[in-house]
Amino acid sequence: QVQLVESGGGLVQPGGSLRLSCAASGSIFSFEAMDWSRRAPGKERELVARIFRGGSTNYANSVKGRFTISRDLAKNTMYLEMNSLKPEDTAVYYCTAVVPGADYWGQGTQVTVSS
């Protein structure tokens, strides 16, 4: 059983920055990939960024150039650096560990972008 704990959310003004963290209970290198996704009120879940076991990354067009996904294998932690935040980035952000036959989710962390 994999446990994931997100942290780092909060209230930030437009144009500001936040860094989210996702701490895993086991070796993150064992996962096929890890994702950051988000769900805004009344909207479908959106996959924001993915980092594969080998280190390659993918981003949603809506965040490309503003968000950076990374990981620290020694700390079993994944990060999402979010810059130039916009009100439309407001959502609950979730991390996911992708393993064969299952996905594991964290509890989510709220990000609110507002003046």
Side-chain angles (χ1 to χ4, degrees):
Q1 186 75 12
V2 175
Q3 293 184 328
L4 303 170
V5 179
E6 300 100 334
S7 61
L11 173 64
V12 63
Q13 292 186 342
S17 298
L18 280 176
R19 188 176 81 156
L20 305 183
S21 299
C22 173
S25 59
S27 171
I28 64 174
F29 191 72
S30 67
F31 306 148
E32 291 185 351
M34 293 189 75
D35 298 338
W36 285 103
S37 60
R38 65 188 180 187
R39 186 186 294 275
K43 294 187 176 181
E44 296 288 320
R45 183 179 69 86
E46 177 186 20
L47 178 61
V48 172
R50 169 170 284 189
I51 185 164
F52 293 89
R53 180 186 291 142
S56 60
T57 58
N58 286 339
Y59 295 93
N61 288 334
S62 58
V63 306
K64 203 170 291 184
R66 299 188 297 122
F67 290 10
T68 303
I69 189 171
S70 63
R71 64 187 181 180
D72 185 328
L73 297 177
K75 295 182 178 180
N76 290 319
T77 301
M78 177 179 67
Y79 304 99
L80 186 68
E81 186 76 34
M82 305 186 294
N83 298 313
S84 302
L85 282 162
K86 305 175 182 180
E88 51 264 44
D89 294 318
T90 295
V92 178
Y93 284 72
Y94 300 91
C95 69
T96 307
V98 180
V99 300
D103 290 346
Y104 296 94
W105 291 74
Q107 83 288 352
T109 186
Q110 175 71 46
V111 171
T112 302
V113 184
S114 175
S115 55

